[in-house]
Structures are given as structure tokens and as C-alpha cells.
Amino acid sequence: MKKHKYDSGIIGNGSYIAHINRYADIVWLCWPNFDSSPIFGSLIDKRCGSFSIVPNSKVLKTSQSYLENTNILRTEIQTETGSFAVVDFAPRYYKNGELKYRRSLYRKIIPLDGDLKIKIEIVPTYHYGSSIIEKKVFSDHILLEDPEFKIHILSNVSLNQISIGSSFHLNQNIYIGLFESRPEELPIEDFFESEFTKTKIYWQNWVKHCTIPNFAQSQQIRSALCLKLHQFQDTGAIIAASTTSLPEAPHSGRNWDYRYSWLRDGFYTLYALTNLGQFEELEMYSQFISNLTPGSDGRFQPLYSIFGESILEEKILNLDGYLGNQPVRIGNSAYTHKQNDAYGQILLSLLPLYLDERIPEKNRFHNLSLIKNILDKIELTMSEPDAGLWEFRNFSQKHCYTFLFHWVGAKAAKVIATVLGEKELLRKSESLMKDAEKNIEACFDSELGCYTQAQGKKDLDASLLQLITLGYLDPKSEKAKTHLSAIEKTLKTNDGFLYRYLHKDDFGKPETTFLVCTFWYVETLACMDRLDEAIKLFSEVTKHANHVGLYSEDIESNSGSQWGNFPQTYSHVGLVNAAHRISEKKTKSLFW
């Protein structure tokens, strides 16, 4: 079976994410926000617009890489008559102590050798390809206009020739940029170079301030930089992925829109970034959480828009889909689900704000009413069936994973109550931990020797590896050993990859392994002092990144193909946390 890899890198700055393939085509750019329609969306349908740089001679070879420790992408293209490079980036830097992240996209086209011509082809559309945006050429810019936005295109070459797609003899650096508002600083060449330098310094300084032990550092750095791009700077929301409808397996129908903020995904992302010593993201996310408005029943939804909007109506569009994979969905009906694990995850994600001495002025985060409200919701939903983290659409169960996060959340609240001296909150937390433990133990199947997906069920679930990694089970206990053994026998492939589960759901049996589950397995092996196995499997798993070190949601175990939305925050979180756990164990083994 031919191996499939996503053929692009991403750039961004907290206001948008653009996908750029190995030919320097922008194949996905939602504008003006993460969840807007793409203006360039050829990733899912050629009718959805494109931004291409096309040489007039046959392409022989391409390569793509990030500038070291940055989110600046460089694509090199070699043709029969010459070669050139394209450098793409989104500006992000501090000026006079204030963060600047202008909603702009910069492209620098650099001749390298030989003699060639190129065309700059800009074909923008909107409303998922149903509206073509006309280019209006003025003396100093091209205007792309829609009722929802204006984009100004500036360049140091003829704007009329860009507009009609004429060829340029590539004998100088060409600068071309998309701007929400026109920059006052000119000439454009100097402006671009200044923005480039400041952005490069910003990302490299950000990486310098990450705490990364000396294990798999390059992979952790790329994952950290990727995760950072998925936080919406305006509100603090964290999206699961920047794409929609990239299939979990070819023609499976498992095509979903992930451009929203799941409370669960936010927790996992913050957990990874906190492990890396980054706290700004947590502070921003706490504001996002505190600004959410619960429903009339006082509950939180599993996911919200990046602006905290609650209604995310799911629609199917009449588009071809990625490589012909339909349906193409926008919106996500999961917002109507009961996914009760989210409450525990909120509490656990907020815990460092009350504990970590590296965070200044911690008192400003001490929102007791929020903590009490979330703990009340754990109490309310303690015995309630839900859709679970895998978002089953046609049935509800009493999921062990949900009860695990009731336990973890109540434990986090207990620590917060102890820090704040809140005795009533402490008593309630301890009581809810006991209730959650009873429900977790009701999921234990003595015949199988493990915890099952839900009470009264025989199905195994890889997410329950976290019973060990999150400290519910003692890694040295017999229960932990038999639980892990049962999951290995049932859900693990010959290559060590793990399926989420293998029973039928709304779409049949899963066809691909879920990458974060495999990283959870790596982390569990490290916890169980099977360190050599953990390191070996980590090494094998990380071979499945694409050419710039990015991971999708799913891996097809036989071919090693990438599938699912891309890049996927879950997968990069799993890598960081698995590497962190291995590092801890390696360090401990040196001293004990």
C-alpha cells in the first residue's frame, strides 16, 4: 500500500494558520479567523481558491523546511532551467513591550541559480468556493473585498501583471504580502526584511524559554511551535486542528470539522505546554474559560467557537473533498453532546495557576466561584451516561474515562482547596473523589483483568492507559500490570501502534490507529519502568512525521500513512508528554 503523507507545512501567528505545500502553493488559508471560510482552499476542492507560484519550466525536485526553531517556512524548487526559494511567514514579535501579530502573510521569492520565469497566480474565493473574489487593482495595491473583510496585496513588482497572471523574469527578490490593513512603513523590501528579522527573533527566543530536557529535543521543539500556533490570540481559545474533513481513513465518512475549541483538547495542549515551562497560554485560556456562558442548565458544552459561541451547526457542503473524500463538513454537532469529562479537565488545567511559583500575581486567578461551579457539575453528572471522549453519536454509556476525570478533577480541586484553606471545598472534593472511584471500579472486569470502556461493557479503550499515567493506578500494582497487558493484547498492532478501540461505532470498526493513543502507550511504558521499550517505540512512532515534522490524527498501521485532520494538536501533545515522561525516568535512573 502506498504511503500517504500530508504534503505541507504551516505558518501562523495566533490569528490564522496557512498550509503551504512543497510546491509553495497556499492550499488552505481560512480568513479572517481559524473557523472562517478559506480564501485559498484547494486542499478540499479546486473551486475553493489557490495562491500558486508557477515556474515556466518543469519542476524536478522540491524541498521544504522550517528555519531553525521558528514557524518560518522555506520551500526550494528546482526546475530544468533554474531554482528558486519561497520564504513564508506570519509576523509575530514584541514592540515596546507589546505583542504585535498583524493579520498579514508575507512571501519572499528568491532566485537561486539558472534562468527562469514564474507566474504568481492568486485566485481567491469565499463561502467555500461559491463566491469568486474579484481583484481590484490600484496604483499601490490590489484589493480583495468581501462584506466580511478587506485584503490589500502589496508587492515590489507590477500589480497588474500579478492580477492577470503574467510571467516575471526571476532576476531579483520578489516580495508579496497580504495585509488586513496597509502598512505605512515603506519601501516594501525594507519592511518585509524588518518583519522577518523580528519574527525570527521572537520564535527563537520563545523556544529558548521552553524547558526541554535532552531527549528528542528537536521533535519536542517542533511540536511546541505547532501547538503555539493553535491558540487564538484574541480570546485564548485553543483549536483541535486548523482543517476540516480530512478523513480518518480513506472513504470512511469519518470527516469532521476540528476548527473549534474543545475543552478537552485545550486541557491536553496546556498540559504539554506547561510541561515545557510555558504559562502564557494557560493564563490566556483561563480567561477564555471564565468568559464562557454555561447553558440554561448551568452546564458547559464539550466545545465552543474560538469566540465562545455555543451553536456550531453542522452542515455538509457540495464539495469534492480531500482526494475525493466526502462528505465535507463545517460545524460540529458534538456541541450538543454530553461529554462530562470536560469538567475535570478544566480543573486540572487551572491547577498550575494556584500552585506554580513561576506565575506572578497568582491571586488574580483565584476564582472560587468558577471552581465551585465546575465541582458542582462533576457532582451533578457523576452517575450520568455520556457520549465520552470519542463522541459516539448514537449511544451513551457510563464511561470509565469520564469517571477518571471526575476523580482527577476532584483531586485538583482538593489541592486548590488546601492551598486556599477552603474547608468546605476540601470536604466536597474528597467526597467526589470517593464517588468517582466507586464508578471507576464498577468498570473493572475481573474476568479480563482490566478496566473496560464503560460500566457493564467488555470493550477495551486505549484512553484508559491514563488510569496509570494520571496516577489513579499505582504503576507497580498488579492491577496496572494486568490492565496494560489486556490493552496490549487487544488494541496493539504488531508495530506497537494502538487503536482507540476495536468495537463497532456509528461508522463501523476503526480502520486506523489513533496517534495520541500510541503516545499514551509510550508514556505508560515509561511509567511502568519499561523504559527501553518506551524509547524504542517513541523512536519508531516519530518516524511517521511528515517532511517538516508534523503529525496528523491517525496512522494506518500497515502502510504508515497519515490520515485525519492535520496537524493535530492531540498528536503533538502526546509526543511532548511522552518525551517528558521518558526524560523524567531517564534522569531518575541516573541517580537511583
Side-chain angles (χ1 to χ4, degrees):
M1 186 182 294
K2 186 178 179 182
K3 185 179 289 190
H4 167 269
K5 296 278 188 180
Y6 288 110
D7 198 26
S8 62
I10 62 169
I11 64 168
N13 62 2
S15 61
Y16 71 82
I17 291 176
H19 293 237
I20 300 160
N21 70 13
R22 287 198 205 212
Y23 295 90
D25 302 329
I26 300 178
V27 296
W28 187 252
L29 172 58
C30 296
W31 197 278
N33 301 309
F34 289 157
D35 56 358
S36 302
S37 165
I39 55 172
F40 308 126
S42 59
L43 184 69
I44 58 171
D45 196 304
K46 290 181 180 179
R47 291 171 287 178
C48 288
S50 60
F51 187 155
S52 304
I53 298 166
V54 184
N56 68 338
S57 55
K58 183 180 178 181
V59 174
L60 302 177
K61 186 171 66 174
T62 69
S63 64
Q64 193 173 54
S65 61
Y66 283 104
L67 272 64
E68 185 178 19
N69 295 354
T70 75
N71 280 313
I72 299 172
L73 194 63
R74 180 184 174 96
T75 309
E76 293 194 7
I77 298 173
Q78 182 180 333
T79 77
E80 287 181 330
T81 62
S83 61
F84 65 99
V86 181
V87 175
D88 290 289
F89 69 99
R92 186 178 173 98
Y93 52 83
Y94 284 102
K95 183 177 181 180
N96 299 325
E98 184 180 350
L99 181 65
K100 302 293 183 181
Y101 56 103
R102 188 196 300 260
R103 191 181 275 113
S104 303
L105 188 152
Y106 303 146
R107 315 201 77 184
K108 178 183 177 182
I109 307 167
I110 307 166
L112 297 177
D113 60 51
D115 184 47
L116 74 161
K117 291 183 176 181
I118 61 165
K119 289 182 180 180
I120 301 171
E121 298 182 348
I122 304 175
V123 184
T125 71
Y126 210 57
H127 304 295
Y128 297 91
S130 64
S131 302
I132 296 174
I133 302 174
E134 292 187 11
K135 298 188 287 287
K136 299 177 181 177
V137 183
F138 295 88
S139 61
D140 58 352
H141 71 284
I142 298 172
L143 179 64
L144 309 180
E145 192 170 14
D146 182 88
E148 295 187 33
F149 61 82
K150 289 182 180 180
I151 297 174
H152 303 84
I153 300 176
L154 278 70
S155 182
N156 65 328
V157 295
S158 169
L159 297 172
N160 284 290
Q161 285 183 273
I162 290 175
S163 179
I164 63 177
S166 295
S167 293
F168 291 92
H169 187 217
L170 193 54
N171 56 8
Q172 63 172 325
N173 290 340
I174 295 178
Y175 299 85
I176 184 166
L178 277 59
F179 298 88
E180 188 173 51
S181 57
R182 291 165 58 191
E184 297 177 1
E185 303 91 335
L186 292 171
I188 194 167
E189 295 91 340
D190 294 343
F191 175 69
F192 267 57
E193 294 296 345
S194 173
E195 295 280 282
F196 170 83
T197 300
K198 289 183 289 188
T199 298
K200 179 182 176 182
I201 290 170
Y202 170 87
W203 286 120
Q204 291 182 340
N205 281 339
W206 187 83
V207 169
K208 283 179 185 177
H209 288 90
C210 289
T211 305
I212 303 179
N214 191 23
F215 175 77
Q217 279 194 323
S218 61
Q219 291 100 324
Q220 289 194 70
I221 287 168
R222 181 49 49 202
S223 289
L225 286 163
C226 175
L227 292 173
K228 179 66 172 173
L229 293 186
H230 286 74
Q231 184 166 48
F232 187 53
Q233 188 71 34
D234 186 59
T235 64
I238 297 170
I239 58 171
S242 55
T243 52
T244 180
S245 302
L246 303 186
E248 293 181 17
H251 307 292
S252 64
R254 298 176 187 265
N255 307 0
W256 312 110
D257 191 348
Y258 276 8
R259 299 170 299 163
Y260 304 109
S261 186
W262 272 259
L263 301 186
R264 180 187 308 112
D265 294 59
F267 153 70
Y268 281 116
T269 300
L270 294 168
Y271 191 55
L273 290 171
T274 302
N275 274 339
L276 292 164
Q278 294 290 347
F279 299 101
E280 175 191 53
E281 297 77 17
L282 174 56
E283 294 179 48
M284 291 169 57
Y285 186 72
S286 69
Q287 287 298 118
F288 176 70
I289 293 293
S290 66
N291 288 333
L292 293 177
T293 303
S296 57
D297 56 1
R299 296 184 182 218
F300 287 100
Q301 296 177 184
L303 69 157
Y304 293 85
S305 82
I306 55 176
F307 297 107
E309 298 158 314
S310 56
I311 301 198
L312 308 172
E313 184 182 354
E314 188 173 299
K315 300 176 183 177
I316 292 178
L317 304 179
N318 183 27
L319 295 173
D320 292 341
Y322 177 76
L323 298 180
N325 281 271
Q326 295 177 326
V328 173
R329 293 185 173 94
I330 60 171
N332 199 306
S333 291
Y335 81 91
T336 65
H337 289 185
K338 291 177 180 177
Q339 295 177 29
N340 296 327
D341 57 288
Y343 300 113
Q345 285 146 0
I346 293 171
L347 288 171
L348 192 56
S349 67
L350 297 179
L351 184 58
L353 295 175
Y354 293 83
L355 293 182
D356 202 299
E357 293 301 328
R358 289 172 290 181
I359 300 175
E361 303 174 25
K362 290 194 294 297
N363 288 338
R364 64 196 163 110
F365 297 110
H366 292 175
N367 187 344
L368 260 185
S369 61
L370 176 63
I371 302 299
K372 289 177 179 177
N373 180 38
I374 295 172
L375 209 56
D376 286 344
K377 297 305 172 291
I378 289 178
E379 183 177 34
L380 175 69
T381 61
M382 182 60 74
S383 300
E384 183 179 70
D386 69 356
L389 88 155
W390 305 127
E391 301 183 334
F392 298 124
R393 294 196 162 205
N394 295 329
F395 59 89
S396 296
Q397 304 179 111
K398 292 188 175 182
H399 287 94
C400 188
Y401 177 89
T402 298
F403 298 130
L404 170 62
F405 273 92
H406 283 342
W407 182 84
V408 169
K411 186 178 180 181
K414 177 183 175 181
V415 175
I416 292 170
T418 302
V419 170
L420 300 181
E422 292 287 333
K423 294 181 179 179
E424 182 182 343
L425 190 65
L426 179 63
R427 284 193 294 270
K428 186 167 187 174
S429 301
E430 291 175 334
S431 174
L432 289 175
M433 284 182 70
K434 291 176 183 176
D435 291 343
E437 184 177 349
K438 290 175 186 175
N439 276 296
I440 292 171
E441 292 305 316
C443 297
F444 186 79
D445 188 303
S446 56
E447 183 181 325
L448 296 173
C450 68
Y451 295 82
T452 62
Q453 186 178 75
Q455 291 179 8
K457 302 293 182 179
K458 293 284 187 181
D459 305 314
L460 300 195
D461 191 320
S463 70
L464 298 182
L465 290 168
Q466 291 173 98
L467 288 165
I468 300 169
T469 60
L470 289 174
Y472 178 81
L473 289 177
D474 180 350
K476 298 185 185 300
S477 68
E478 189 61 28
K479 259 190 175 179
K481 292 174 184 175
T482 60
H483 178 64
L484 175 57
S485 177
I487 287 177
E488 288 175 319
K489 289 175 184 176
T490 306
L491 300 180
K492 189 176 77 167
T493 70
N494 292 334
D495 296 324
F497 287 76
L498 263 68
Y499 291 95
R500 291 175 283 183
Y501 48 84
L502 281 173
H503 61 83
K504 288 185 178 180
D505 59 19
D506 314 326
F507 295 85
K509 288 187 177 181
E511 301 172 57
T512 51
T513 64
F514 205 64
L515 193 50
V516 73
C517 294
T518 305
F519 281 123
W520 286 336
Y521 178 46
V522 171
E523 191 178 352
T524 305
L525 289 174
C527 279
M528 303 286 281
D529 292 325
R530 293 165 60 180
L531 190 57
D532 289 344
E533 291 176 73
I535 293 171
K536 182 179 178 181
L537 182 54
F538 184 94
S539 177
E540 288 301 312
V541 175
T542 51
K543 292 176 183 177
H544 292 274
N546 80 342
H547 61 288
V548 289
L550 299 178
Y551 296 88
S552 63
E553 182 179 33
D554 304 270
I555 297 291
E556 200 285 316
S557 59
N558 292 326
S559 67
S561 292
Q562 293 185 336
W563 293 104
N565 280 303
F566 170 86
Q568 174 73 10
T569 56
Y570 256 175
S571 300
H572 288 275
V573 161
L575 184 152
V576 169
N577 291 337
H580 184 78
R581 187 78 70 167
I582 288 171
S583 298
E584 282 184 335
K585 288 289 182 176
K586 280 170 65 73
T587 302
K588 187 175 181 181
S589 67
L590 292 174
F591 295 98
W592 298 96

